Amino acid sequence: MTTNPDQTKPTAPPIAITAAKEPSTLDVSVGPQHPGSGHLRMLMRVDGDYIVSVDPDIGYVHRGCEKIAEYRTAVSNIPHLERPCIIDAIHLNWGYVLPIEELQGIVVPPRGQYISTIAAEMNRIMSHLYWLAINAGVFSGHTTIFMYAFGDRDLFIELAEMLTGARLTYSFLPPGGPRRDLPAEFQDRLLKLLDYFERRLVEYDRIFFSNPLVIARAKGIGTLKRDEAIKLGMTGPVLRGSGVKYDVRKVEPYGAYADLDFEIPVFEEGDSYARFLVRFEEMKQSIKIIRQALEKMPKGPIARKAPLIIPEGEAIGRVESSRGELTYMVKGDNSDKPSRVKIMNGSFRSLIALPYLIRNVHVADMPIIYGSLDYWPVEADR
Amino acid sequence: MSQETLQDFAGVWIGKISEVVRAITGSGPIKFMINWSRMYALWPVHITTACCSAEFGAMMGPRLDPERFGLQAVAGGLRQCDLIIVEGTVTKKMAKRLKIVYEQMAKPRYVVAMGDCACSGGLFHDSYSIVNDVHKLFPVDVYIPGCPPRPEALLSAIVKLREKIRREEVFA
Amino acid sequence: MVFGAMYEGIKHIFKRTFTLKYPYQKVLLPKGFRGRHILYMEKCTGCGICAWICPERCISFVPPADGKEHPQNPENRFPQYWYARCCFCHFCTDYCPTGALDYSPDYELAEYDRELLVWSPERLSKVPTNIGTYRSVFHGNKGSMGVTYEPVEKQPKT
Amino acid sequence: MATQSPTREEDLVNKLKARFPDAIKDSKIEGKHRITIHFDKDKLLEIARYMRDELGFDHVKGVAGVDDPTHKKIEVLYFTGSFSRPEIEDLIVVLQAELPRDNPTIASAVSVWESTHFHERETFEMFGVKFEGHPDLRKLLTLDNWEGPPPMLKDIKFPEMGQR
């Protein structure tokens, strides 16, 4: 971790409390209109080229999903509960549907579970490609990987169009199971795409991941040690980059993950480069999962008729989204509208890493650390 | 000449010159040239208001390559940009900043309202922190529905906007 | 060193581009693509299930413009879509009991002013004609991204 | 359930009850992975420290506020989990405290679990629950000079809510 050489400079207090206003510090607001930041404003207290402390000012895309969820029926909630993380829509949809199915006591038939797993893993690859293009590519100025990753992401999107009918906002899993079965030519088109994508990953490795310029910028920057990651409650690739082997697909298997075998990539260093590699390895694992799921695809019905009433009670459901553990708490009161929906997603939980990591680093390191967290402000603001 | 006569002497001529310039540029080839150059240099502001920015990024990718229309993703100054794409929901907190960004842009500026939330508040029309109608903030040129609209649909909106620029008055 | 990355970049100079030249080339979208709705007015019974399930309440009911009598529709009311608010989730198409609503691959709905985004039943019942004529073809490693867009030879079956 | 050896959920609950006989009001085991524990709101910090050090629940996944206008109370739920101990990593223990609706205040758990920092700020803004001892309790999500009431309370209906 690069600390500023002379310790006399003011260093930030432990957590998120902005440093005292010293005469030598300057407040720089990296606002919502900035090529290096997403939909949030980071009030950076800068001393020369060193960032002393960052106070993230979020809420620019706060649309009150939890308040609106109390005014829509259980099925009509799916489109707007999916919008916070539009590039990873299946997981937000699946996470919301699991507690409702638990309350209503429905079990999705095995073929529906397999189709949901395939759609979820395809969505994980698309979300990681979006991260690779925007958060790792454009934020660090590497526009070649932006062009490569978005080119390949469009191929996966064409297949998602064939399966669900929409590019990003699938609304594919109402309570009871997926809405559509696999179209005819979907299977061999997907297998051909996976072979092609595996060759492309070798090219990604050569142009980006083992590119000495990227390694120089990302290695050793924004290091989050193992106990710090646990203390701050990190999740997903940020947690697995710091050496904690925790993945909801293994801890509490849902869908068809119980009978598919795949590994969980874990790296010990905990710096931005380790988080880059975790997502890179996860894409390879997703390819393996999709291939197995396509082979073991059972026959039979894909969905079950679900009642429209959410019975009395409270249930918690969680899935492993591309940004980590996504937990939903749905409280029903015997009407067709849920009485309370609480969303705990990966981005809001990794928000605390921003002020914790972006301290005593160069200003140029901020986009790399911010990009390595894969923080999607729309999902965090809900 | 005394001060007053200089004033109205200049006033007459200046008034005249602007009429002459307006007459020249208002007609025929000059107007076509100016509109053609504005049409082919639409630089969008890099402000992502909400989740439609994922599809805006997909449009900026290699598959559709909007630089064929001069749509270059300018990372930076507002002075050079002349197209603002309202990508999705405008919350009340973002509306303040969006208004500031709109006023900083140079004069021939155009607005594309991308997605349902920019057109009419879409999925979140009954939320407490949303500005439902963006056209109250600034005049909107083209509305493109869709949640999010396909990159091709956004490009069709850009093509429609260029059609509008081609036919408009130079000093509108 | 960095030569691996540079070799990777140079390799792409000699390959065909991956770009779809949009207004001149359009992609043939798969059958179930969720674009604009198509309304079959002879099947619609005006039951209102589509308006109930719609997450944004963007469906309102209006009598037909030409005042023709539709025997199967007692209240003589047909859905009118306000596309500025519709999120294209197509729950209405799935929940429609008589199959009066259908998908269509039409996505070019841009308008200059908002009032034109209100689609009357008659306008909805016209089947779109701007169907794409290109589809993506895999080349393994030949195209720059391994994929190029070729025109569909045979007549696209709608 | 008269199983011979108590399941790990039961011995976890028994340990908590033994340690805090008066503070733990009642506990419910829902399914294999979920435990809900109602506790007295003044004992939050002791219970939190005990859960983190002895029982190994080292982080909080989220802090949820649930408004209940009929019983005049607001419930605050802490979803705690464990990363460091693999044998209980699939458990989610929900600590539930009831607060009076007119002036909901509770101690802030940031000193024990740092991960609740932004969750408590959000619950403060959405439900008006004051967390004493929170280092930086400011509004987080709504408009900067939003003078309106906490938006998530049930009886607060905004004009546009649920309109056609």
Side-chain angles (χ1 to χ4, degrees), chain B residues 94-169:
Chain B
M94 182 64 98
K96 256 169 60 175
R97 278 76 180 181
L98 208 56
K99 191 90 173 94
I100 297 167
V101 163
Y102 180 74
E103 265 129 21
Q104 281 178 6
M105 285 163 59
K107 201 57 187 162
R109 49 194 173 201
Y110 309 103
V111 176
V112 170
M114 169 187 183
D116 290 352
C117 298
C119 294
S120 73
L123 264 173
F124 309 97
H125 61 279
D126 54 1
S127 155
Y128 50 86
S129 71
I130 290 298
V131 171
N132 264 356
D133 27 31
V134 172
H135 55 270
K136 286 207 175 69
L137 288 177
F138 31 69
V140 175
D141 292 310
V142 180
Y143 294 89
I144 169 76
C147 187
R150 278 183 70 92
E152 286 98 331
L154 181 58
L155 214 50
S156 78
I158 303 284
V159 165
K160 242 178 152 58
L161 173 68
R162 295 172 72 233
E163 192 53 37
K164 182 173 183 180
I165 296 173
R166 199 168 56 80
R167 277 186 271 100
E168 74 172 356
E169 277 309 311

Side-chain angles (χ1 to χ4, degrees), chain C:
Chain C
M1 260 301 291
V2 81
F3 300 118
M6 285 162 61
Y7 158 72
E8 184 56 43
I10 291 165
K11 202 166 67 172
H12 278 266
I13 293 177
F14 312 107
K15 294 192 175 177
R16 279 173 59 195
T17 64
F18 167 68
T19 310
L20 175 80
K21 304 201 173 23
Y22 164 65
Y24 319 108
Q25 301 171 345
K26 287 203 186 92
V27 173
L28 173 65
L29 292 174
K31 191 170 59 55
F33 178 72
R34 299 194 326 224
R36 167 174 73 82
H37 301 80
I38 301 177
L39 173 68
Y40 302 116
M41 293 179 81
E42 61 286 357
K43 286 188 192 160
C44 174
T45 63
C47 57
I49 286 183
C50 52
W52 175 76
I53 196 65
C54 177
E56 294 93 16
R57 312 272 190 286
C58 74
I59 301 173
S60 51
F61 281 89
V62 290
D66 52 12
K68 218 152 29 87
E69 264 312 310
H70 289 269
Q72 91 289 349
N73 193 336
E75 291 112 12
N76 206 359
R77 54 177 199 159
F78 290 92
Q80 176 191 33
Y81 278 77
W82 182 20
Y83 273 118
R85 192 166 271 185
C86 163
C87 83
F88 297 94
C89 60
H90 276 264
F91 279 147
C92 45
T93 314
D94 292 358
Y95 276 73
C96 178
T98 61
L101 285 164
D102 196 359
Y103 304 102
S104 88
D106 178 13
Y107 49 81
E108 286 148 347
L109 312 165
E111 297 293 348
Y112 286 124
D113 59 355
R114 244 163 48 130
E115 281 59 34
L116 287 176
L117 289 175
V118 179
W119 282 58
S120 63
E122 287 70 27
R123 196 175 170 196
L124 276 173
S125 48
K126 279 203 290 295
V127 179
T129 55
N130 44 19
I131 307 288
T133 57
Y134 281 78
R135 55 182 169 72
S136 60
V137 174
F138 270 108
H139 287 291
N141 260 335
K142 272 214 293 300
S144 87
M145 294 285 193
V147 161
T148 50
Y149 285 92
E150 256 86 31
V152 177
E153 291 75 19
K154 51 190 178 337
Q155 188 51 21
K157 46 183 176 14
T158 52

Side-chain angles (χ1 to χ4, degrees), chain A residues 4-53:
Chain A
N4 45 13
D6 44 4
Q7 288 307 332
T8 58
K9 289 267 181 354
T11 55
I15 293 286
I17 307 160
T18 49
K21 187 86 180 64
E22 303 275 331
S24 66
T25 57
L26 177 72
D27 273 2
V28 173
S29 133
V30 182
Q33 197 269 324
H34 185 278
S37 90
H39 317 61
L40 80 157
R41 180 173 78 96
M42 281 186 267
L43 186 64
M44 288 199 302
R45 192 142 286 170
V46 173
D47 179 2
D49 182 27
Y50 286 101
I51 302 172
V52 171
S53 79

Side-chain angles (χ1 to χ4, degrees), chain D residues 133-152:
Chain D
H134 192 283
D136 183 12
L137 202 60
R138 278 179 292 139
K139 276 203 345 299
L140 193 64
L141 295 171
T142 46
L143 183 58
D144 326 357
N145 44 27
W146 169 273
E147 69 298 334
M152 281 292 285

Side-chain angles (χ1 to χ4, degrees), chain A residues 82-370:
Chain A
E82 218 178 22
R83 291 308 185 257
C85 192
I86 200 168
I87 33 183
D88 194 12
I90 285 277
H91 291 108
L92 277 146
N93 184 348
W94 208 351
Y96 165 70
V97 153
L98 281 177
I100 289 185
E101 280 165 357
E102 193 182 322
L103 281 175
Q104 290 171 342
I106 307 168
V107 178
V108 180
R111 185 173 174 88
Q113 303 270 15
Y114 269 77
I115 292 177
S116 315
T117 310
I118 289 175
E121 284 312 313
M122 265 169 59
N123 210 319
R124 190 186 310 279
I125 293 181
M126 285 187 245
S127 177
H128 283 331
L129 282 177
Y130 186 89
W131 158 79
L132 184 60
I134 299 281
N135 289 30
V138 168
F139 282 1
S140 66
H142 197 293
T143 42
T144 321
I145 200 69
F146 164 76
M147 292 297 175
Y148 279 20
F150 259 35
D152 291 338
R153 180 168 167 263
D154 268 328
L155 301 179
F156 277 97
I157 283 182
E158 268 171 25
L159 276 160
E161 256 169 29
M162 196 187 296
L163 174 65
T164 63
R167 284 176 57 89
L168 295 172
T169 54
Y170 309 118
S171 309
F172 186 50
L173 306 169
R179 281 165 71 175
R180 291 186 185 176
D181 204 337
L182 294 184
E185 70 280 2
F186 177 78
Q187 178 136 356
D188 59 3
R189 183 89 196 260
L190 179 56
L191 287 176
K192 217 187 289 182
L193 174 62
L194 288 182
D195 305 341
Y196 157 76
F197 187 58
E198 223 154 18
R199 287 196 304 277
R200 289 288 291 168
L201 283 181
V202 174
E203 288 179 13
Y204 285 176
D205 187 30
R206 205 180 300 141
I207 200 163
F208 185 76
F209 287 99
S210 44
N211 184 339
L213 305 179
V214 170
I215 294 177
R217 271 203 82 176
K219 205 161 199 42
I221 306 289
T223 310
L224 193 63
K225 286 188 278 302
R226 179 188 157 87
D227 53 355
E228 283 170 347
I230 292 176
K231 185 179 66 173
L232 294 179
M234 289 296 113
T235 174
V238 181
L239 189 65
R240 292 191 285 275
S242 307
V244 179
K245 187 176 171 61
Y246 186 89
D247 186 321
V248 178
R249 293 175 290 178
K250 289 284 186 191
V251 158
E252 191 184 320
Y254 55 95
Y257 288 111
D259 39 21
L260 300 173
D261 70 342
F262 54 95
E263 293 89 28
I264 306 294
V266 179
F267 286 84
E268 302 306 326
E269 299 84 3
D271 54 6
S272 302
Y273 191 62
R275 291 188 279 272
F276 281 13
L277 290 181
V278 165
R279 293 191 185 91
F280 186 55
E281 295 302 324
E282 266 185 16
M283 280 197 266
K284 293 176 184 158
Q285 292 304 321
S286 294
I287 294 175
K288 223 171 88 173
I289 294 173
I290 294 178
R291 283 206 176 107
Q292 287 173 44
L294 280 175
E295 280 149 26
K296 297 181 186 166
M297 175 67 73
K299 294 281 176 291
I302 59 170
R304 180 142 314 146
K305 210 90 195 88
L308 293 176
I309 301 294
I310 304 177
E312 187 76 39
E314 195 177 299
I316 299 171
R318 53 181 174 165
V319 283
E320 179 68 27
S321 82
S322 66
R323 277 158 187 78
E325 183 187 3
L326 175 64
T327 318
Y328 271 83
M329 190 270 292
V330 175
K331 210 161 133 68
D333 59 356
N334 237 334
S335 76
D336 59 353
K337 296 180 170 60
S339 85
R340 172 74 166 110
V341 174
K342 172 68 185 173
I343 308 166
M344 290 158 268
N345 46 39
S347 285
F348 191 66
R349 286 175 60 182
S350 71
L351 171 62
I352 194 163
L354 274 179
Y356 195 82
L357 282 179
I358 305 180
R359 280 181 313 167
N360 309 335
V361 287
H362 290 274
V363 173
D365 293 338
M366 185 274 286
I368 288 285
I369 299 173
Y370 173 75

